[in-house]
Amino acid sequence: GENVEQHPSTLSVQEGDSAVIKCTYSDSASNYFPWYKQELGKRPQLIIDIRSNVGEKKDQRIAVTLNKTAKHFSLHITETQPEDSAVYFCAASSGSARQLTFGSGTQLTVLP
Amino acid sequence: KAGVTQTPRYLIKTRGQQVTLSCSPISGHRSVSWYQQTPGQGLQFLFEYFSETQRNKGNFPGRFSGRQFSNSRSEMNVSTLELGDSALYLCASSEPGLTYEQYFGPGTRLTVT
């Protein structure tokens, strides 16, 4: 089955700096890669996703890149703000099967 | 549209008991997936239902089961509860077809004592 590895497990950045979180996946059949943000005590919130036919996608301060050959994808957050502090999860699936395999999560702390 | 709702939000059960959790998807969403979230194992897929049929199943014992009703609401059941079943149980709904986005409910926090 699919295996998703996520690094780093914790990340601290100064407000205004950029943050990058990386994930690798094992199943070449995976074609859908979402990122979720989970604040303490809250539900995971979908913040951005990318499909395998696209190399990069951007939404304001958030971008995701995908390298299918190397089987890795990354989340980039620019101009970080304290409200970006949360746990971020990457995931992978062969999209038509709504079966997400999640990475282990990254605790992002933005220091004011 | 209203978001995904789950009931109850919190539950305390004793080892050996069984429990039923409920999930109401976003209106129009016909796929419901269930996940277990624990500090040790992270987020793990349990199963997915679409049009009242289980389409996919994760690597969990048969004590974990589910069903979906004609209005797309879903329930999951855990029988013979074990201490290790203590977790946040999340459901997620998605539209049918080529939109793969899954939207999560607030979860049910199950504590087994």
Side-chain angles (χ1 to χ4, degrees), chain B residues 7-71:
Chain B
T7 57
R9 294 292 312 279
Y10 303 91
L11 208 47
I12 300 175
K13 290 287 188 178
T14 304
R15 270 182 303 175
Q17 289 185 316
Q18 74 166 18
V19 66
T20 299
L21 312 181
S22 181
C23 172
S24 292
I26 293 169
S27 177
H29 287 195
R30 286 193 285 147
S31 169
V32 174
S33 298
W34 288 88
Y35 296 85
Q36 181 196 65
Q37 186 173 27
T38 60
Q41 299 299 316
L43 276 155
Q44 293 185 286
F45 172 80
L46 282 155
F47 29 66
E48 184 227 350
Y49 285 87
F50 176 77
S51 291
E52 302 178 65
T53 301
Q54 186 182 91
R55 284 205 298 192
N56 295 288
K57 189 177 193 309
N59 192 22
F60 279 82
R63 300 186 297 106
F64 291 81
S65 62
R67 60 177 176 168
Q68 187 180 34
F69 302 94
S70 58
N71 62 357

Side-chain angles (χ1 to χ4, degrees), chain B residues 56-105:
Chain B
N56 295 288
K57 189 177 193 309
N59 192 22
F60 279 82
R63 300 186 297 106
F64 291 81
S65 62
R67 60 177 176 168
Q68 187 180 34
F69 302 94
S70 58
N71 62 357
S72 296
R73 189 177 69 85
S74 177
E75 289 182 347
M76 68 163 281
N77 184 78
V78 188
S79 62
T80 320
L81 284 165
E82 300 177 0
L83 294 178
D85 297 333
S86 294
L88 180 66
Y89 290 90
L90 294 156
C91 74
S93 76
S94 64
E95 295 180 13
L98 298 178
T99 56
Y100 301 156
E101 296 87 350
Q102 293 188 40
Y103 298 95
F104 281 89

Side-chain angles (χ1 to χ4, degrees), chain A residues 29-68:
Chain A
S30 290
N31 60 359
Y32 175 64
F33 307 92
W35 286 87
Y36 286 86
K37 173 185 179 183
Q38 188 175 30
E39 297 174 79
L40 193 62
K42 301 281 184 67
R43 72 187 75 190
Q45 177 191 0
L46 178 66
I47 57 172
I48 196 166
D49 57 9
I50 193 167
R51 299 196 187 191
S52 58
N53 59 348
V54 175
E56 183 173 358
K57 184 176 178 181
K58 194 171 181 180
D59 182 4
Q60 300 184 339
R61 297 185 298 109
I62 294 174
V64 57
T65 58
L66 171 66
N67 183 326
K68 280 195 306 180

